[in-house]
Amino acid sequence: MLEQGLKQLENELSISLNMTLTIASRFQEHMEQSLSGRVSSLKMFPSYLQAPNGYEAGTFLALDFGGSNARAAVVELRGAGNFLELHKLSRPLSDPESGRDYRAASVTAEELFDFLAGIIQEVLSNSSAHPTLKSSTSGPLPLGFAFSFPYRQQTIGEGFLLYWNKEVETSGVVGKDVGHLLSAALERRGLGSVVSLTAIINDTVTTFLTAAYQDPSLDIASIIGTGHNTCYLEQKAPGFEAPVIINTESGNFSDAPDTPYDQRLDLESDNPGEQRFEKKLSGKYLGELFRRIVLDFSQRGLFSGLNNPPAPARWNQPYSISGKDLALILLEEDSHSRLVPRDECFALKRIAHLLTKRSAQLVAASFIGVVRHLDPHLDHRHTVAIDGSLYKGMPGYAQELTVALSEALESKAGLVTVKMSAGGSLTGAAIAAALAKLDK
Ligand code: GLC
């Protein structure tokens, strides 16, 4: 019975080579529809930034807010692809001890942005003794703000939040300019003349900038973490004379196959109908899909071991299983076979593996869509930089992604290189601030 259930699940979750190619061409269509002003699930936001040349230099402040943690640092860009991140601080958005969660709907925009401005203040006070800061304090320090949610901008220093995702719900931010909210919070802390918010950028773009600072051949960057999204260097963006980095907001892509589990998760999420690609594949949702599948197996009588699960989770509570729990299950050496029957322990692993593999295949299909848009006959080399906890931390993920790309690209697979770009958000935000300063 269990084996039959698993086989059926495998059929539902598997993505054939044909399907990969179909998803890739639909993704390309959605990109091109959006670029030409037609309705599409891809937003294709211009970042107002070109690629860096690696010689941008100076001292900058950087802030990164993407969902789980907020981080800030002073970043020294030294040119020739060299940089230093100094006085780095990271603060969780939720503190289990105090019960404070800045992502909750009960928290106001002012409270969230005061918290973010506070982190900047802390970095500044830790760094006031630092010689690099002393020597460059002739004017306010330029701040690059990596804000990893869908926002609309018409200049590099503004960002009107369209909607929250990744289950963040803080009140009073949707529809507002997060640049204005942050600047007002900096003013409240007396930092108005010390810091000047110069650039707001998405985390895919910061990943792009950091990787491209060292490797000018880079043309695509992606985050595969709590959320998922991809940006690339568009040569012919409407309204721009020079190439510009475009944030596709690919997490909202709507044309990939759904299982009933995906549909239910979407319907019961904070933002039904939105981010449907992300909800099939990113770290925020893989654990939740896993929980729903195992619960369903158990309700159908296929699975009995839920009272002693190998993951520390309450199976009836939504989002109680994280991407990290899945990684642990995949690494499990059958040590829980005392608690869960051996075949069920194996089944948990298999379900985790099927979800991880599908995630990597979907991402690979979207990359192929971008590459085909840039280079329809695949005549040139392309490099994709990837950051994010799922890509870095899920056992086997990077390999599944490479396998999916090589199967689909066949003899041209050697032209597409994928590389890990870890921890680039703060440096990327600083590079954005440097590029925005050059533009003025
Ligand atoms: C979500 C956001 C997107 C971000 C991604 C990765 O998809 O909408 O802006 O890049 O998460 O953090």
Side-chain angles (χ1 to χ4, degrees):
M1 281 275 279
L2 178 58
E3 186 51 35
Q4 233 175 340
L6 286 169
K7 276 257 154 60
Q8 191 194 338
L9 182 72
E10 186 164 352
N11 283 339
E12 285 180 79
L13 291 176
S14 75
I15 310 253
S16 66
L17 181 55
N18 260 342
M19 185 45 77
T20 304
L21 297 173
T22 307
I23 298 169
S25 64
R26 288 179 190 162
F27 193 90
Q28 183 184 347
E29 274 164 33
H30 281 236
M31 288 174 75
E32 290 165 6
Q33 278 161 358
S34 181
L35 284 173
S36 61
R38 284 173 289 154
V39 177
S40 154
S41 66
L42 295 177
K43 299 196 175 63
M44 307 294 281
F45 291 137
S47 67
Y48 296 87
L49 290 169
Q50 75 266 29
N53 59 23
Y55 286 91
E56 293 77 9
T59 303
F60 301 89
L61 266 171
L63 171 69
D64 173 25
F65 169 45
S68 319
N69 295 292
R71 301 180 310 132
V74 168
V75 180
E76 228 183 275
L77 300 179
R78 298 186 152 181
N82 293 308
F83 57 81
L84 267 184
E85 290 181 354
L86 305 165
H87 313 291
K88 210 159 32 173
L89 275 184
S90 176
R91 296 275 179 269
L93 269 301
S94 85
D95 176 8
E97 263 175 36
S98 66
R100 192 88 177 121
D101 188 344
Y102 287 97
R103 299 167 300 187
S106 56
V107 171
T108 64
E110 284 68 28
E111 288 168 317
L112 170 65
F113 283 87
D114 279 342
F115 166 72
L116 295 176
I119 302 175
I120 293 177
Q121 190 166 36
E122 230 182 298
V123 165
L124 278 174
S125 60
N126 291 343
S127 61
S128 57
H130 199 279
T132 52
L133 265 189
K134 271 198 185 147
S135 61
S136 60
T137 43
S138 43
L141 262 181
L143 166 69
F145 177 24
F147 181 69
S148 310
F149 298 93
Y151 60 84
R152 194 175 286 288
Q153 65 184 170
Q154 275 169 348
T155 65
I156 178 80
E158 67 180 18
F160 290 85
L161 178 64
L162 291 180
Y163 55 85
W164 283 124
N165 53 30
K166 297 178 274 191
E167 311 302 299
V168 180
E169 297 177 288
T170 318
S171 301
V173 190
V174 173
K176 300 274 172 54
D177 173 11
V178 294
H180 177 75
L181 290 172
L182 182 60
S183 298
L186 289 167
E187 285 281 348
R188 287 197 288 278
R189 293 209 172 241
L191 295 175
S193 58
V194 182
V195 177
S196 128
L197 176 60
T198 319
I200 301 180
I201 48 272
N202 181 258
D203 55 354
T204 54
V205 180
T206 59
T207 301
F208 186 106
L209 294 175
T210 308
Y213 194 60
Q214 297 173 315
D215 171 5
S217 76
L218 189 94
D219 50 5
I220 301 170
S222 186
I223 300 284
I224 314 174
T226 308
H228 167 63
N229 188 11
T230 296
C231 74
Y232 73 102
L233 189 65
E234 171 63 57
Q235 300 295 327
K236 292 183 245 142
F240 291 83
E241 275 164 24
V244 65
I245 303 169
I246 298 262
N247 164 16
T248 66
E249 281 294 331
S250 59
N252 195 49
F253 176 55
S254 61
D255 226 347
D258 265 341
T259 67
Y261 300 112
D262 299 306
Q263 288 162 357
R264 289 284 297 276
L265 181 148
D266 176 46
L267 273 178
E268 290 163 22
S269 70
D270 286 348
N271 52 355
E274 277 157 15
Q275 302 296 109
R276 285 181 36 215
F277 199 52
E278 182 166 79
K279 285 174 187 161
K280 293 182 182 67
L281 67 90
S282 81
K284 181 83 205 176
Y285 301 99
L286 277 194
E288 176 59 7
L289 282 170
F290 177 81
R291 185 190 71 84
R292 284 168 179 268
I293 293 170
V294 175
L295 205 58
D296 177 49
F297 270 44
S298 153
Q299 280 157 1
R300 286 156 55 199
L302 306 179
F303 207 95
S304 70
L306 288 201
N307 295 333
N308 291 308
R314 282 163 288 163
W315 293 91
N316 282 314
Q317 193 186 321
Y319 296 94
S320 57
I321 299 188
S322 66
K324 266 194 196 142
D325 293 327
L326 281 202
L328 288 177
I329 289 170
L330 282 174
L331 290 172
E332 196 69 45
E333 298 252 339
D334 288 349
S335 56
H336 284 90
S337 44
R338 280 175 299 115
L339 302 175
V340 179
R342 209 182 153 75
D343 60 335
E344 295 188 6
C345 188
F346 179 70
L348 288 178
K349 261 195 196 182
R350 190 145 149 216
I351 297 170
H353 176 245
L354 288 174
L355 285 168
T356 308
K357 179 169 175 181
R358 182 181 71 151
S359 166
Q361 286 174 321
L362 290 172
V363 171
S366 72
F367 288 171
I368 295 170
V370 179
V371 167
R372 291 262 182 229
H373 164 74
L374 290 172
D375 179 6
H377 305 295
L378 252 181
D379 296 322
H380 307 283
R381 292 195 165 276
H382 301 274
T383 305
V384 189
I386 307 182
D387 198 355
S389 49
L390 186 58
Y391 182 72
K392 290 185 290 192
M394 188 63 82
Y397 196 98
Q399 203 195 345
E400 292 287 3
L401 183 61
T402 314
V403 168
L405 281 172
S406 13
E407 281 178 6
L409 293 170
E410 297 178 336
S411 62
K412 303 273 188 163
L415 289 174
V416 178
T417 308
V418 172
K419 65 180 192 188
M420 175 152 50
S421 169
S425 265
L426 291 168
T427 296
I431 298 170
L435 289 169
K437 220 172 128 201
L438 287 178
D439 248 15
K440 283 197 172 157

